[in-house]
Amino acid sequence: MNYPYQLQSFEAYLAAYQKSIQDPEGFWAEVAENFTWQKKWDRVLEWNFQDPKIEWFKGAQLNMTENCLDRHLATRGNEPAIIWESNDPHEQHRVLTYQELHFKVQQFANVLLNNGVQKGDRVCIYMGMIPELAIATLACARIGAIHSVIFGGFSAQAIADRLEDAGAEFIITCDGAYRGAKAIALKSVIDDALVGNKTIKCVIVCTRTRTPVSMSKGRDVWWEDEIKKVETMGNPKVEPATIDAEDILFILYTSGSTGKPKGVVHTTAGYMVWTNYTFVNTFQYQPGQVHFCTADIGWITGHSYIIYGPLSAGATTLMFEGVPTWPDAGRFWEVVEKFKVDILYTAPTAIRSLMACGLEPVKGKDLSSLKVLGSVGEPINEEAWHWYNEHIGQNRCPIVDTWWQTETGGVMISNLAGITPAKPSYATLPLPGIQPCLVDENGVEIEGNGVNGNLCIKFPWPGMIRSTYNDHERCRQTYFSTYQNLYFTGDGCLRDEEGMYRITGRVDDVLNVSGHRIGTAEVENAINMHACVIESAVVGYPHDIKGQGIFAYVIIEGKNQDLESLQKEIIQKVNEVIGPIAKPDQILFVPGLPKTRSGKIMRRILRKIAEGDISNLGDTSTLLDPSVVDQIIKLAR
Ligand code: PRX
């Protein structure tokens, strides 16, 4: 497969960018010509940011898997589509060619059909990083079912909330998942999540860890048994269903400023074009290369750059079940060496944790296959950038620092590997089609260079969020109401003298812990569920490895408590309600919280105290009880 829309010089980038702004519809129509359509579009774009209404390639019909699988069979049928490396370095790796993946996706699509899944149904997927997870998502897309993947680290309560919000009727899970030295139960978590659930009709369970599970008769079936049934039927073909351009491909839940996660809705045609275009251009993918994205498919990065972007481009995508530091901190480098990885795409938190392990694990590993390195999920600090560049890229691989979000579907601001300039800790320049702007608190655009502001986007792009599932108004309020006629990202941003963008972090109450997005309100809700807790306030503080750590200020009932066990119980509560990714790093029991007269918690002050910087707490005169601040400072010492 070749990519006529791959930008191969800085001039080509500038020209494409110009065209994408002057004639967006013409620009994207030209890119879209490179895909397989069952029916072409009537209109390239219809939109307004008031409702919001965003429709790309309206009138077109297509199937995502026809683009990810069928169309590659003639030319790349025997090439690897997915290479899978186990958590256990001694277990044999697996390779699925395009032909084999095409077969397996249809086989599992039959399983879905046999179990009553229909177009438009919501299918929740809660699995570890095994090829069956990719097969399950693609099988949903094959028949037009909507998948909603939930990261394997979320708790039963968190799953229950998401199942309910999505009105899911089907679940695909595993007995358990391996993560480093541990086998984690998944099916039993689903069982807990299903207590009281009335909508789930069927749970399909794939075997991985052989963790004992209980199967509920009439509801739960084994993946392997169901496949056998399909084999007995003679593995009937499942033709790619006809899907409208704006039909939902998937829902992915993400955190925001409120306690309730929202289901970000991505639709089919625009998301396909966008993930493919950004994959091919950002990483400068060349046919035959091995692309290794270390994210979990439970997050948007895995959706866009393990599955849909690479497969729609006929690429070889490497899926890794394990963790960077097990059995030792050389695991990533072993995988790179073993499969001669060309492109490595990971998160700053992983880089920092490996950096902390020193150079011994890197020594002796052959990293000469690497051509491009990528970073995603949070700002990458200069120290980590240089370490990555020097010790992994050996000063010869461009690093792409890709800024984007669950809501944006794919990379928005990034250098293009080796094509546009890089600058440590800068995401640099917008991709074609992206019109970033910086605004002040009043929504006034800040023009010129060498300025700071809130990052917004002026014009729609094909991969953007269409709605929040079941609650379109929430989508409008969250992203399109803060500033008129702009999509608000929630990020602060600097545009330097050269016009390069540097993301400075969230300006709302969203934390970024190890590249995972967590709402402060979500964590507070969880903490407040502990019987002894009256109130809590959660803020982020700089953390060497995680980027941000979670600091919780907690007011408890009564005195004479055993504070140490209470801390443990609170952490346990957060584990139960959200999952271990959200557990506080520090808990401070306080007599009160700094509140304004209108009852609003002044987080700015709490953030400063958590950072250990009390030199300039700013104006505290509007506080109801300023003395509370001194008491907290004393306790924090
Ligand atoms: O704050 C930005 C940060 O991650 C947020 C989006 O998180 P999520 O939806 O979970 O998606 C993560 C993977 C795309 C953004 O609002 N972020 C993401 N990439 C970068 C980043 N911050 C700085 N630099 C980046 N490259």
Side-chain angles (χ1 to χ4, degrees):
M1 188 165 192
N2 67 349
Y3 316 108
Y5 46 91
Q6 191 171 52
L7 305 167
Q8 290 172 340
S9 67
F10 189 45
E11 292 68 37
Y13 160 75
L14 290 176
Y17 189 78
Q18 271 300 321
K19 171 148 197 210
S20 76
I21 306 303
Q22 279 160 3
D23 175 19
E25 296 196 30
F27 179 84
W28 289 111
E30 213 169 280
V31 175
E33 288 296 339
N34 295 283
F35 295 81
T36 300
W37 302 91
Q38 296 175 1
K39 175 177 173 282
K40 285 269 174 76
W41 51 91
D42 303 321
R43 262 312 287 276
V44 175
L45 173 63
E46 268 178 38
W47 70 288
N48 74 64
F49 276 175
Q50 281 85 48
D51 293 342
K53 180 181 91 162
I54 319 288
E55 294 177 328
W56 282 91
F57 308 110
K58 201 177 171 187
Q61 291 181 322
L62 73 159
N63 186 289
M64 181 59 130
T65 67
E66 197 172 1
N67 282 277
C68 287
L69 302 170
D70 303 60
R71 70 168 174 153
H72 305 313
L73 295 181
T75 50
R76 305 189 50 77
N78 294 320
E79 301 290 321
I82 297 179
I83 299 176
W84 175 81
E85 170 71 5
S86 164
N87 177 63
D88 175 357
H90 302 297
E91 184 180 348
Q92 180 65 35
H93 68 271
R94 287 169 64 186
V95 176
L96 294 176
T97 65
Y98 271 94
Q99 201 88 52
E100 288 162 340
L101 185 59
H102 181 249
F103 175 79
K104 283 187 182 292
V105 166
Q106 291 184 74
Q107 218 182 21
F108 193 66
N110 272 311
V111 170
L112 295 177
L113 293 171
N114 287 346
N115 283 283
V117 182
Q118 293 178 0
K119 188 174 169 187
D121 287 348
R122 273 81 56 221
V123 178
C124 159
I125 302 180
Y126 184 69
M127 300 172 84
M129 283 285 285
I130 55 175
E132 284 69 20
L133 165 53
I135 292 168
T137 58
L138 291 162
C140 287
R142 188 78 173 172
I143 63 170
I146 299 168
H147 61 72
S148 175
V149 184
I150 300 180
F151 174 62
F154 278 113
S155 69
Q157 182 61 53
I159 297 168
D161 295 344
R162 286 159 175 76
L163 291 177
E164 191 190 312
D165 190 79
E169 290 175 319
F170 302 90
I171 297 179
I172 308 169
T173 188
C174 293
D175 47 0
Y178 291 118
R179 205 165 297 143
K182 288 184 265 182
I184 292 159
L186 294 180
K187 172 63 166 65
S188 64
V189 179
I190 290 290
D191 291 339
D192 292 345
L194 288 182
V195 175
N197 176 293
K198 293 194 180 62
T199 57
I200 295 296
K201 295 179 188 158
C202 173
V203 181
I204 303 173
V205 188
C206 184
T207 308
R208 175 61 185 141
T209 54
R210 307 211 168 261
T211 308
V213 300
S214 60
M215 298 290 275
S216 159
K217 217 169 164 207
R219 187 195 72 187
D220 302 351
V221 295
W222 287 103
W223 175 297
E224 296 76 12
D225 292 347
E226 295 302 298
I227 290 284
K228 277 199 196 104
K229 284 186 204 159
V230 174
E231 283 169 350
T232 335
M233 291 160 62
N235 288 314
K237 277 202 165 134
V238 179
E239 295 300 336
T242 298
I243 307 295
D244 288 336
E246 283 296 336
D247 280 350
I248 300 177
L249 176 66
F250 66 83
I251 306 168
L252 186 58
Y253 282 86
T254 189
S255 299
S257 304
T258 70
K260 194 171 165 262
K262 48 188 177 252
V264 172
V265 169
H266 283 291
T267 56
T268 308
Y271 177 81
M272 171 183 76
V273 170
W274 184 241
T275 51
N276 179 292
Y277 183 85
T278 52
F279 171 71
V280 163
N281 279 299
T282 308
F283 302 104
Q284 289 290 305
Y285 184 82
Q286 305 299 321
Q289 290 189 333
V290 177
H291 175 76
F292 177 17
C293 166
T294 71
D296 191 289
I297 291 175
W299 309 111
I300 190 70
T301 309
H303 283 61
S304 300
Y305 299 110
I306 295 178
I307 303 180
Y308 292 116
L311 295 180
S312 67
T316 297
T317 180
L318 197 156
M319 215 177 143
F320 176 46
E321 183 185 29
V323 297
T325 48
W326 190 85
D328 60 55
R331 194 72 174 101
F332 272 2
W333 323 130
E334 248 168 51
V335 176
V336 168
E337 179 175 85
K338 179 169 173 188
F339 299 104
K340 299 199 170 30
V341 168
D342 296 272
I343 304 168
L344 173 67
Y345 189 31
T346 193
T349 185
I351 300 169
R352 287 190 299 264
S353 72
L354 294 172
M355 190 167 88
C357 298
L359 286 174
E360 203 50 42
V362 191
K363 257 193 208 146
K365 304 284 184 334
D366 181 1
L367 303 181
S368 62
S369 60
L370 286 173
K371 297 183 184 61
V372 173
L373 302 177
S375 171
V376 60
E378 51 180 316
I380 178 164
N381 49 310
E382 289 205 32
E383 197 190 353
W385 192 99
H386 287 293
W387 188 86
Y388 199 28
N389 183 43
E390 198 173 313
H391 299 292
I392 307 309
Q394 299 167 337
N395 293 313
R396 52 178 179 75
C397 303
I399 298 177
V400 289
D401 180 354
T402 63
W403 173 81
W404 57 294
Q405 309 178 298
T406 304
E407 294 86 345
T408 72
V411 175
M412 300 284 281
I413 304 182
S414 172
N415 49 317
L416 310 181
I419 302 295
T420 66
K423 183 167 181 174
S425 81
Y426 279 71
T428 72
L429 298 173
L431 266 80
I434 302 308
Q435 303 185 29
C437 68
L438 304 182
V439 295
D440 65 18
E441 308 86 78
N442 304 316
V444 179
E445 182 167 354
I446 308 168
E447 312 253 6
N449 288 341
V451 291
N452 248 306
N454 288 348
L455 179 62
C456 293
I457 314 287
K458 281 183 176 175
F459 193 84
W461 63 98
M464 76 184 293
I465 182 174
R466 299 300 196 269
S467 187
T468 41
Y469 194 75
N470 236 340
D471 191 352
H472 193 63
E473 170 58 14
R474 187 159 177 209
C475 174
R476 189 190 69 77
Q477 278 205 350
T478 313
Y479 307 105
F480 300 94
S481 71
T482 318
Y483 304 113
Q484 241 196 350
N485 260 324
L486 296 173
Y487 165 83
F488 177 43
T489 65
D491 278 314
C493 183
L494 162 88
R495 185 167 52 223
D496 75 359
E497 295 299 342
E498 299 166 284
M500 300 262 210
Y501 291 87
R502 178 186 202 198
I503 310 301
T504 49
R506 302 286 305 195
V507 292
D508 53 9
D509 291 327
V510 172
L511 306 178
N512 193 329
V513 181
S514 301
H516 299 151
R517 222 167 115 169
I518 298 162
T520 51
E522 259 177 288
V523 184
E524 287 161 8
N525 282 353
I527 294 175
N528 297 352
M529 282 182 197
H530 188 287
C532 296
V533 172
I534 297 177
E535 198 181 359
S536 63
V538 162
V539 296
Y541 70 97
H543 187 289
D544 283 349
I545 305 284
K546 298 179 174 184
Q548 269 189 316
I550 299 181
F551 197 115
Y553 297 87
V554 181
I555 308 176
I556 48 170
E557 224 164 47
K559 290 180 181 148
N560 311 325
Q561 298 265 13
D562 173 358
L563 295 184
E564 214 170 295
S565 8
L566 197 53
Q567 280 198 350
K568 285 194 188 129
E569 285 171 32
I570 288 174
I571 289 175
Q572 186 47 34
K573 193 47 128 189
V574 176
N575 275 343
E576 265 168 48
V577 179
I578 309 175
I581 53 170
K583 73 169 194 262
D585 298 279
Q586 297 199 47
I587 296 177
L588 185 68
F589 295 107
V590 292
L593 292 167
K595 286 190 181 170
T596 61
R597 288 193 188 95
S598 61
K600 211 172 154 225
I601 297 172
M602 268 213 191
R603 285 170 194 279
R604 178 172 54 78
I605 295 175
L606 295 177
R607 250 179 249 131
K608 285 265 183 197
I609 299 174
E611 281 165 20
D613 170 19
I614 51 163
S615 55
N616 180 16
L617 290 180
D619 182 16
T620 53
S621 63
T622 55
L623 288 179
L624 188 62
D625 174 12
S627 74
V628 109
V629 176
D630 298 325
Q631 293 174 37
I632 296 177
I633 291 173
K634 253 190 225 141
L635 289 164
R637 274 203 193 115

Coordinates of all heavy atoms in Angstrom, one line a residue, residues 254 299-301 345 348 375-380 401-408 413 425 427 489-491 503-506 510 512 515-517, ligand 1:
T254 N -14.3 8.6 29.5 CA -13.2 9.4 29.9 C -13.6 10.3 31.0 O -14.8 10.6 31.2 CB -12.4 10.1 28.8 OG1 -11.2 10.6 29.3 CG2 -13.3 11.3 28.3
W299 N -7.5 2.5 26.4 CA -7.4 4.0 26.2 C -7.5 4.3 24.8 O -7.3 3.5 23.9 CB -6.1 4.5 26.8 CG -5.8 4.0 28.2 CD1 -4.9 3.2 28.6 CD2 -6.6 4.4 29.4 NE1 -4.9 3.0 29.9 CE2 -5.9 3.7 30.5 CE3 -7.7 5.2 29.7 CZ2 -6.4 3.8 31.8 CZ3 -8.1 5.3 31.0 CH2 -7.5 4.6 32.0
I300 N -7.7 5.6 24.5 CA -7.9 6.0 23.1 C -6.6 5.7 22.3 O -6.7 5.4 21.1 CB -8.3 7.5 23.0 CG1 -8.7 7.9 21.6 CG2 -7.2 8.4 23.5 CD1 -10.0 7.3 21.1
T301 N -5.4 5.9 22.9 CA -4.2 5.7 22.1 C -4.2 4.3 21.5 O -3.7 4.1 20.4 CB -3.0 5.9 23.0 OG1 -3.1 7.2 23.7 CG2 -1.7 5.9 22.2
Y345 N 6.2 4.0 20.2 CA 5.3 5.0 20.7 C 4.9 4.8 22.1 O 4.2 3.8 22.4 CB 4.1 5.0 19.7 CG 3.1 6.2 19.9 CD1 3.5 7.5 20.2 CD2 1.7 6.0 19.6 CE1 2.6 8.5 20.3 CE2 0.8 7.1 19.6 CZ 1.3 8.3 20.0 OH 0.4 9.4 20.0
P348 N 5.5 9.4 28.5 CA 6.5 10.0 29.3 C 6.7 9.3 30.7 O 7.8 9.1 31.1 CB 6.1 11.4 29.5 CG 5.3 11.8 28.3 CD 4.6 10.5 28.0
S375 N 5.9 10.1 21.7 CA 5.5 10.3 23.1 C 4.1 10.8 23.1 O 3.7 11.6 22.3 CB 6.4 11.4 23.7 OG 6.0 11.8 25.0
V376 N 3.3 10.4 24.1 CA 1.9 10.8 24.2 C 1.3 10.7 25.6 O 1.8 9.9 26.4 CB 1.0 9.8 23.3 CG1 1.1 8.4 23.7 CG2 -0.4 10.3 23.3
G377 N 0.4 11.5 25.9 CA -0.4 11.4 27.1 C -0.2 12.5 28.1 O -1.1 12.7 28.9
E378 N 0.9 13.1 28.1 CA 1.2 14.1 29.0 C 2.4 14.9 28.5 O 3.1 14.4 27.6 CB 1.5 13.5 30.4 CG 2.6 12.5 30.3 CD 2.9 11.8 31.6 OE1 3.1 12.5 32.6 OE2 3.1 10.6 31.6
P379 N 2.7 16.1 29.1 CA 3.9 16.8 28.7 C 5.1 16.0 29.0 O 5.2 15.4 30.0 CB 3.8 18.1 29.6 CG 2.4 18.2 30.0 CD 1.9 16.8 30.1
I380 N 6.0 16.0 28.0 CA 7.3 15.3 28.3 C 8.3 16.3 28.7 O 8.6 17.3 28.0 CB 7.8 14.4 27.1 CG1 9.1 13.7 27.4 CG2 7.8 15.2 25.8 CD1 9.4 12.6 26.4
D401 N 6.3 14.4 19.6 CA 5.6 14.6 20.8 C 4.2 15.0 20.4 O 3.9 16.0 19.9 CB 6.3 15.8 21.5 CG 5.6 16.1 22.8 OD1 4.5 15.6 23.1 OD2 6.1 17.0 23.5
T402 N 3.3 14.0 20.5 CA 2.0 14.1 19.9 C 1.0 14.5 21.0 O 0.7 13.8 21.9 CB 1.5 12.7 19.4 OG1 1.4 11.8 20.5 CG2 2.5 12.2 18.4
W403 N 0.4 15.7 20.8 CA -0.7 16.2 21.7 C -2.0 15.8 21.1 O -2.3 16.2 19.9 CB -0.6 17.7 22.0 CG -1.8 18.1 22.7 CD1 -2.0 18.0 24.1 CD2 -3.0 18.6 22.2 NE1 -3.3 18.4 24.4 CE2 -3.9 18.8 23.3 CE3 -3.5 18.9 20.9 CZ2 -5.2 19.3 23.1 CZ3 -4.8 19.4 20.7 CH2 -5.6 19.6 21.9
W404 N -2.8 15.2 21.9 CA -4.2 15.0 21.5 C -5.0 14.5 22.6 O -4.5 14.5 23.8 CB -4.3 14.0 20.3 CG -3.7 12.7 20.4 CD1 -2.4 12.4 20.5 CD2 -4.3 11.4 20.4 NE1 -2.2 11.0 20.6 CE2 -3.4 10.4 20.5 CE3 -5.7 11.0 20.2 CZ2 -3.7 9.0 20.5 CZ3 -6.0 9.6 20.2 CH2 -5.0 8.7 20.4
Q405 N -6.3 14.1 22.4 CA -7.2 13.7 23.5 C -8.1 12.6 23.1 O -8.3 12.4 21.9 CB -8.0 14.9 23.9 CG -7.3 16.2 24.2 CD -8.2 17.3 24.5 OE1 -9.0 17.7 23.7 NE2 -8.1 17.9 25.7
T406 N -8.7 12.0 24.1 CA -9.8 11.0 23.8 C -10.8 11.6 22.8 O -11.2 11.0 21.8 CB -10.5 10.6 25.1 OG1 -9.5 10.1 26.0 CG2 -11.5 9.5 24.8
E407 N -11.1 12.9 23.0 CA -12.1 13.5 22.3 C -11.7 13.9 20.8 O -12.5 14.1 20.0 CB -12.5 14.9 23.0 CG -13.2 14.7 24.3 CD -12.2 14.6 25.5 OE1 -11.0 14.3 25.2 OE2 -12.7 14.7 26.6
T408 N -10.4 14.0 20.6 CA -9.9 14.4 19.3 C -9.7 13.2 18.4 O -9.5 13.4 17.2 CB -8.6 15.2 19.4 OG1 -7.5 14.4 19.7 CG2 -8.7 16.4 20.3
I413 N -1.6 18.1 17.4 CA -0.5 18.9 17.3 C 0.8 18.0 17.6 O 0.9 17.4 18.6 CB -0.5 20.1 18.4 CG1 -1.8 20.9 18.2 CG2 0.7 20.9 18.2 CD1 -1.8 22.1 19.2
S425 N 10.1 19.0 24.5 CA 9.0 19.4 25.3 C 7.9 20.3 24.6 O 6.9 20.7 25.2 CB 9.4 20.1 26.6 OG 9.7 21.5 26.4
A427 N 5.0 20.2 21.5 CA 4.2 19.4 20.5 C 4.4 20.0 19.1 O 4.2 19.3 18.1 CB 2.8 19.3 20.9
T489 N -10.3 22.7 24.7 CA -9.6 21.4 25.0 C -9.4 21.1 26.5 O -9.2 20.0 26.9 CB -8.2 21.5 24.4 OG1 -7.5 22.5 25.1 CG2 -8.2 21.8 23.0
G490 N -9.5 22.2 27.3 CA -9.2 22.0 28.8 C -7.7 22.1 29.1 O -7.3 22.0 30.2
D491 N -6.9 22.3 28.1 CA -5.5 22.5 28.3 C -5.0 23.9 28.2 O -5.5 24.7 27.4 CB -4.7 21.7 27.2 CG -4.6 20.2 27.6 OD1 -4.3 19.9 28.7 OD2 -4.9 19.4 26.7
I503 N 2.2 22.4 25.2 CA 1.1 22.2 26.1 C 1.6 22.3 27.6 O 2.6 21.6 27.9 CB 0.5 20.8 25.9 CG1 0.2 20.5 24.4 CG2 -0.8 20.6 26.7 CD1 -0.7 21.5 23.7
T504 N 0.9 23.1 28.4 CA 1.4 23.3 29.8 C 0.6 22.4 30.8 O 0.9 22.4 31.9 CB 1.4 24.7 30.1 OG1 0.1 25.3 29.8 CG2 2.4 25.5 29.4
G505 N -0.5 21.8 30.3 CA -1.2 20.9 31.3 C -2.7 21.4 31.4 O -3.0 22.5 30.8
R506 N -3.5 20.6 32.1 CA -4.9 20.9 32.2 C -5.2 22.2 33.0 O -4.5 22.5 34.0 CB -5.6 19.8 32.9 CG -5.4 18.4 32.2 CD -6.2 18.2 31.0 NE -7.6 18.5 31.1 CZ -8.5 18.1 30.1 NH1 -8.1 17.4 29.1 NH2 -9.8 18.3 30.3
V510 N -9.0 18.3 36.0 CA -8.7 16.9 35.5 C -7.2 16.7 35.8 O -6.4 17.5 35.5 CB -9.0 16.8 34.0 CG1 -8.5 15.5 33.5 CG2 -10.5 16.9 33.8
N512 N -3.7 14.2 35.5 CA -3.1 13.3 34.5 C -2.0 12.5 35.3 O -0.9 13.0 35.5 CB -2.5 14.2 33.4 CG -2.1 13.3 32.2 OD1 -1.7 12.1 32.4 ND2 -2.1 13.9 31.0
G515 N -0.1 9.5 32.8 CA -0.8 9.5 31.5 C -2.3 9.1 31.5 O -2.9 9.1 30.5
H516 N -2.8 8.8 32.7 CA -4.2 8.4 32.8 C -5.0 9.6 33.3 O -4.6 10.3 34.2 CB -4.4 7.3 33.8 CG -3.7 6.0 33.5 ND1 -3.3 5.1 34.4 CD2 -3.4 5.5 32.3 CE1 -2.7 4.1 33.8 NE2 -2.8 4.3 32.5
R517 N -6.1 9.8 32.6 CA -6.9 11.0 32.9 C -7.9 10.7 34.1 O -8.6 9.7 34.0 CB -7.7 11.3 31.7 CG -7.8 12.7 31.4 CD -8.3 12.8 30.0 NE -9.6 13.5 30.1 CZ -10.2 13.9 29.0 NH1 -9.7 13.7 27.8 NH2 -11.4 14.5 29.1
Ligands
PRX1 O1 -3.6 17.3 29.0 C1 -3.4 16.7 27.8 C2 -2.6 15.5 27.9 O2 -3.6 14.4 28.0 C3 -4.9 14.9 27.9 C4 -5.8 14.0 27.2 O3 -5.9 12.8 27.9 P1 -6.6 11.5 27.2 O4 -7.9 11.9 26.7 O5 -6.6 10.5 28.3 O6 -5.7 11.2 26.0 C5 -4.4 10.8 26.2 C6 -3.9 10.2 24.9 C7 -4.1 11.0 23.7 C8 -4.8 16.2 27.2 O7 -5.8 17.1 27.4 N1 -1.7 15.2 26.8 C9 -1.9 14.3 25.9 N2 -0.8 14.3 25.0 C10 0.0 15.2 25.4 C11 -0.6 15.8 26.6 N3 0.0 16.9 27.2 C12 1.2 17.3 26.7 N4 1.8 16.8 25.7 C13 1.3 15.8 25.0 N5 1.9 15.2 24.0

